[in-house]
């Protein structure tokens, strides 16, 4: 025990240096965490303080039976399915092109990464006008055939989620590009030489060497994409939907719904439960990804 | 798959695709810039054509009607204080977990890594309840204090600091430097690349933040640039087209310029990779 005391005294600065983090984490991490569990057992509201009633697991049951919550979950999975495929697919294509290009590779990389620094409010402002009924994309589509007439996609039942996925792809595919490009540089060139000697075509080399060798990068991208993607909020909020995501709830995401319950309906206890429910779903999907990805890729 | 230096048709195809990609990525920026110097009716009726005549009345309107200077001031207060505080306090904790073998350090670091796994959405409502009860809603410190240090940034800096050789520290300690002096004089200068990464993430994150200001800074005098632009855009739909594009440009162009000068650091910060 004396030795431990000596070591504590000797390395006391260590404790001093982690104290700011520890205090702030106790106050703004651990306390809210416990509070969120506590709040799920109550109905609670800022505007109706007398409404403070113990409901047990009532909020959980309400959440599991709430069609709007499931609609929001469906929407976000629909959106993220398209987004993750597009963003990482385009990221892979552009990474391979940049890897093969000998000149100006850096210049193109700079341009492709540029949208990453744009804020969501700016992104959705630009995105809304560029994809809007008289914006450049639809003007082109109408002029050259695919569309008969301009589409007001924001008010459609099924279009908002794919269009937002495309707008988000523009912003984020640069990150995939850069991560996969770094992965390409780590692949042993001898693999390609050996394959070329065996007569493998360019496509076969891509399919059987490049893609499998990039598995660690893909795994990282998928895990991070899903964790952040399922928590989408500002994209649908700033593009001007009401807090229920439009008349068909076509753009309702789980976090938007949570916001609606907390600040429109003033159901703090229920909103807190929805937050926990979403966190559990995210944790579950992350665990599934860890289970189903080949061990050597993690 | 190997880079080749010969002229081939596949090279032509590669550059053609790269150029098309470059145009698609760059066009929205061009669209924003171009519309910011048009007149209002021209933006509404022919948004895709080049401006017939360049006008800066949108930019004028932004300063007169949107109080742009106040928005910039508020955003800078937030972004600068969060960047300084968070980078410093995260580095301080990172130094302790990387280089000071105090009893309980490994357990503490393990606990930090566990807290990183919890999705942020869980904290949204309880943190709001807490800040509301503290009476901080409407004040800048409602956003600054909870962001003053973060585990992810501690982790990033720590990963860099473990590679600093212990001999350097031992030499300084023998010269009689205490740990605080050592941290300030030796560790911080040596950790510059990691600090740049964290500072960039902090600054861009708080400058671009929308949900935080929406929850806690919802009065016109505390609006940030993001919140101000959002309110301006949604208050009268279809109006203010000129001002919207001018404001969008003003908010974005400074970030893009900084990005051009520090692009390697940006890629390291956002993608966690180093490219030559």
């Amino acid at each position: 025990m004396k030795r431990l005391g000596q070591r504590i005294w000797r390395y006391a600065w260590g404790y001093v240096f982690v104290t700011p983090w520890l205090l702030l984490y106790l106050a703004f991490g651990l306390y809210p965490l416990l509070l969120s569990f506590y709040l799920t057992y109550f109905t609670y509201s800022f505007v109706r303080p007398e409404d403070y009633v113990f409901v047990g697991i009532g909020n959980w049951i309400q959440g599991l039976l709430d069609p709007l919550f499931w609609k929001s979950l469906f929407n976000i999975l629909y959106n993220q399915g398209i987004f993750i495929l597009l963003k990482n697919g385009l990221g892979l294509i552009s990474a391979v092109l940049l890897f093969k290009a000998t000149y100006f590779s850096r210049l193109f990389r700079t341009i492709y990464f540029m949208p990453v620094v744009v804020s969501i409010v700016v992104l959705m402002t630009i995105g809304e006008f560029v994809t809007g009924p008289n914006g450049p994309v639809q003007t082109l589509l109408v002029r050259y055939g695919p569309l008969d007439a301009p589409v007001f996609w924001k008010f459609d039942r099924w279009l908002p989620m794919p269009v937002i996925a495309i707008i988000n792809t523009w912003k984020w595919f640069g990150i995939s590009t850069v991560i996969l490009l770094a992965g390409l540089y780590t692949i042993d060139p001898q693999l390609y030489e050996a394959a070329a000697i065996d007569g493998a075509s360019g496509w076969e080399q891509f399919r059987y060497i490049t893609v499998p060798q990039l598995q660690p990068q893909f795994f990282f991208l998928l895990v991070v994409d899903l964790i952040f993607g399922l928590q989408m909020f500002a994209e649908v909020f700033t593009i001007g939907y009401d807090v229920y995501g439009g008349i068909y709830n076509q753009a309702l995401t789980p976090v938007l719904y949570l916001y609606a319950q907390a600040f429109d309906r003033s159901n703090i206890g229920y909103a807190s439960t929805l937050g926990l429910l979403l966190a559990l779903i995210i944790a579950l999907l992350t665990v599934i990804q860890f289970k189903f990805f080949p061990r050597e890729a993690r | 798959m190997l880079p080749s230096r010969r002229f081939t048709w596949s090279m032509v195809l590669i550059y053609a695709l790269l150029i098309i990609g470059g145009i698609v990525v760059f066009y929205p920026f061009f669209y924003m810039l171009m519309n910011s110097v048009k007149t209002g009716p021209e933006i509404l009726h022919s948004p895709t054509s080049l401006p017939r005549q360049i006008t800066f009345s949108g930019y004028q309107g932004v300063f007169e009607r949107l109080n742009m200077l106040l928005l910039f001031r508020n955003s800078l207060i937030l972004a600068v204080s969060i960047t300084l505080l968070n980078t410093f306090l995260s580095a301080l904790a990172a130094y302790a977990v990387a280089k000071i073998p105090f009893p309980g350090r490994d357990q503490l670091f393990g606990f930090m890594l566990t807290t990183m796994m919890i999705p942020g959405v869980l904290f949204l409502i309880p943190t709001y309840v807490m800040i509301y009860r503290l009476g901080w809603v409407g004040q800048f410190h409602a956003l600054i204090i909870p962001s003053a240090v973060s585990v992810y940034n501690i982790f990033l800096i720590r990963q860099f600091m473990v590679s600093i050789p212990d001999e350097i520290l031992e030499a300084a300690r023998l010269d009689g430097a205490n740990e605080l002096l050592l941290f300030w004089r030796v560790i911080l200068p040596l950790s510059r690349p990691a600090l740049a990464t964290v500072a960039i993430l902090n600054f861009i994150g708080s400058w671009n933040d929308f949900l935080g200001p929406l929850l806690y800074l919802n009065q016109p005098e505390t609006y940030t640039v993001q919140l101000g632009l959002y309110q301006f855009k949604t208050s009268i739909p279809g109006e203010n087209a000129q001002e919207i594009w001018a404001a969008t440009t003003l908010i974005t162009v400074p970030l893009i310029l900084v990005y051009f000068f520090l692009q390697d650091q940006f890629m390291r910060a956002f993608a966690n990779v180093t490219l030559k």
Side-chain angles (χ1 to χ4, degrees):
Chain A
M1 278 316 286
K2 192 156 173 278
R3 296 265 312 277
L4 181 68
Q6 275 176 346
R7 280 183 59 214
I8 290 178
W9 181 245
R10 186 167 162 214
Y11 297 116
W13 281 107
Y15 299 104
V16 176
F17 290 171
V18 294
T19 302
W21 171 74
L22 200 63
L23 290 179
L24 282 166
Y25 189 76
L26 289 178
F28 298 100
L30 209 58
Y31 175 71
L33 195 67
L34 296 175
L35 187 61
S36 86
F37 281 96
Y38 176 79
L39 286 171
T40 59
Y41 296 107
F42 294 89
T43 58
Y44 174 61
S45 143
F46 297 124
V47 289
R48 305 181 300 270
E50 70 282 1
D51 244 24
Y52 199 68
V53 181
F54 181 81
V55 290
I57 56 165
N59 281 328
W60 286 91
I61 294 171
Q62 191 189 345
L64 291 173
L65 297 177
D66 189 341
L68 277 184
F69 176 70
W70 293 107
K71 170 72 178 161
S72 73
L73 200 64
F74 167 81
N75 280 343
I76 198 65
L77 290 174
Y78 176 35
N79 172 273
Q80 289 300 303
I82 299 168
F83 169 69
I84 289 175
L85 273 178
L86 269 181
K87 170 199 154 228
N88 295 319
L90 281 177
L92 177 62
I93 294 171
S94 44
V96 169
L97 292 175
L98 289 176
F99 185 72
K100 287 197 157 198
T102 31
Y103 305 102
F104 304 113
S105 179
R106 196 186 148 89
L107 172 71
F108 284 112
R109 202 175 77 202
T110 306
I111 295 174
Y112 290 178
F113 202 79
M114 217 161 79
V116 171
V117 299
V118 167
S119 79
I120 305 292
V121 183
V122 170
L123 170 76
M124 295 321 280
T125 308
I126 299 177
E128 189 182 350
F129 281 95
V130 169
T131 62
N134 66 348
V137 173
Q138 294 210 32
T139 308
L140 276 179
L141 290 178
V142 168
R143 187 177 303 159
Y144 295 105
L147 276 185
D148 296 329
V151 176
F152 290 82
W153 61 266
K154 267 172 67 180
F155 309 102
D156 185 87
R157 230 175 239 276
W158 299 108
L159 284 176
M161 287 291 121
V163 176
I164 291 171
I166 293 171
I167 295 173
N168 259 333
T169 298
W170 176 75
K171 173 163 165 61
W172 294 112
F173 90 102
I175 288 196
S176 298
T177 304
V178 166
I179 289 178
L180 293 169
L181 184 59
L184 287 175
Y185 283 115
T186 64
I187 300 178
D188 184 356
Q190 287 183 350
L191 289 174
Y192 294 111
E193 285 162 19
I197 292 166
D198 288 345
S201 68
W203 166 252
E204 283 169 332
Q205 292 183 24
F206 174 76
R207 171 71 186 76
Y208 294 106
I209 299 174
T210 311
V211 174
Q213 291 285 322
L214 289 175
Q215 268 186 14
Q217 282 77 20
F218 278 119
F219 178 67
F220 172 78
L221 285 168
L222 285 180
V223 169
V224 174
D225 284 347
L226 212 62
I227 290 175
F228 287 103
L230 292 181
Q231 303 183 53
M232 179 195 284
F233 168 80
E235 283 86 342
V236 279
F237 190 87
T238 59
I239 206 163
Y241 286 108
D242 62 89
V243 288
Y244 297 96
I247 39 168
Y248 308 115
N249 309 113
Q250 68 269 39
L252 187 66
T253 67
V255 180
L256 186 63
Y257 187 48
L258 185 153
Y259 182 89
Q261 285 293 347
F263 300 105
D264 188 48
R265 300 266 176 92
S266 200
N267 292 331
I268 298 292
Y270 185 48
S272 192
T273 313
L274 291 177
L276 262 169
L277 206 55
L278 182 63
L280 278 177
I281 292 170
I282 291 172
L284 192 72
L285 289 173
T286 310
V287 169
I288 291 176
Q289 284 177 311
F290 269 88
K291 275 260 174 349
F292 282 88
F293 236 82
R295 179 165 293 277
E296 61 277 10
R298 291 176 214 155
Chain B
M1 281 303 294
L2 293 173
S4 73
R5 293 190 178 273
R6 287 178 303 117
F7 171 87
T8 54
W9 284 110
S10 65
M11 266 298 152
V12 176
L13 181 69
I14 285 168
Y15 280 101
L17 289 173
L18 281 174
I19 289 168
I20 292 171
I23 291 171
V24 171
V25 173
F26 192 74
Y27 179 78
F29 289 107
F30 172 72
Y31 184 84
M32 170 180 87
L33 278 169
M34 178 181 84
N35 277 313
S36 77
V37 291
K38 283 187 194 170
T39 61
E42 212 185 331
I43 297 172
L44 294 177
H45 295 121
S46 48
T48 49
S49 51
L50 288 170
R52 271 194 294 272
Q53 186 190 344
I54 287 180
T55 163
F56 291 100
S57 55
Y59 289 90
Q60 235 177 320
V62 155
F63 285 97
E64 282 162 11
R65 298 178 42 213
L66 190 56
N67 215 346
M68 200 65 182
L69 288 176
L70 179 77
L71 301 182
F72 262 97
R73 192 199 69 143
N74 291 343
S75 278
L76 276 175
I77 290 176
L78 265 187
V80 171
S81 32
I82 289 177
T83 305
L84 291 178
L85 256 179
N86 184 299
T87 309
F88 179 76
L89 290 180
S90 299
L92 200 64
Y95 173 52
V97 283
K99 287 293 177 196
I100 306 179
F102 59 89
R105 176 182 72 161
D106 297 341
Q107 290 81 347
L108 189 77
F109 187 58
F111 175 67
M112 283 182 174
L113 294 183
T114 321
T115 65
M116 263 167 52
M117 313 273 176
I118 307 169
V121 59
L122 197 56
F123 298 99
L124 188 70
I125 298 299
T127 307
Y128 186 83
V129 170
M130 182 183 166
I131 301 271
Y132 179 86
R133 285 182 182 161
L134 286 171
W136 289 3
V137 173
Q139 289 168 318
F140 288 106
H141 59 254
L143 281 174
I144 295 171
I145 293 177
S147 311
V149 59
S150 56
V151 172
Y152 181 66
N153 291 341
I154 295 176
F155 177 73
L156 282 183
I157 303 174
R158 184 245 175 215
Q159 295 309 86
F160 184 86
M161 281 181 179
V162 274
S163 67
I164 297 176
D166 285 324
E167 290 77 27
I168 299 178
L169 306 184
E170 291 309 325
R173 283 188 187 120
L174 284 178
D175 287 344
N178 71 30
E179 294 291 325
L180 197 62
L181 204 64
L182 189 68
F183 173 72
W184 188 254
R185 289 270 173 80
V186 181
I187 299 292
L188 280 189
L190 284 174
S191 312
R192 227 175 271 146
L195 298 180
T197 291
V198 168
I200 287 171
L201 288 177
N202 274 324
F203 192 88
I204 304 286
S206 42
W207 181 267
N208 283 352
D209 187 19
F210 179 74
L211 183 56
L214 178 71
L215 292 177
Y216 301 117
L217 301 176
N218 48 16
Q219 295 305 313
E221 63 273 14
T222 51
Y223 279 174
T224 61
V225 285
Q226 311 296 341
L227 200 54
L229 173 62
Y230 166 74
Q231 297 290 359
F232 196 63
K233 186 167 86 101
T234 46
S235 53
I236 325 168
E239 283 290 307
N240 308 327
Q242 265 188 308
E243 283 83 2
I244 288 172
W245 289 114
T248 318
T249 308
L250 282 176
I251 295 172
T252 310
V253 166
L255 289 192
I256 300 281
L257 289 179
V258 177
Y259 161 69
F260 276 133
F261 286 108
L262 299 175
Q263 46 176 298
D264 294 341
Q265 284 83 349
F266 268 72
M267 286 179 197
R268 194 162 54 220
F270 282 96
N272 214 349
V273 295
T274 311
L275 291 168
K276 289 164 291 316

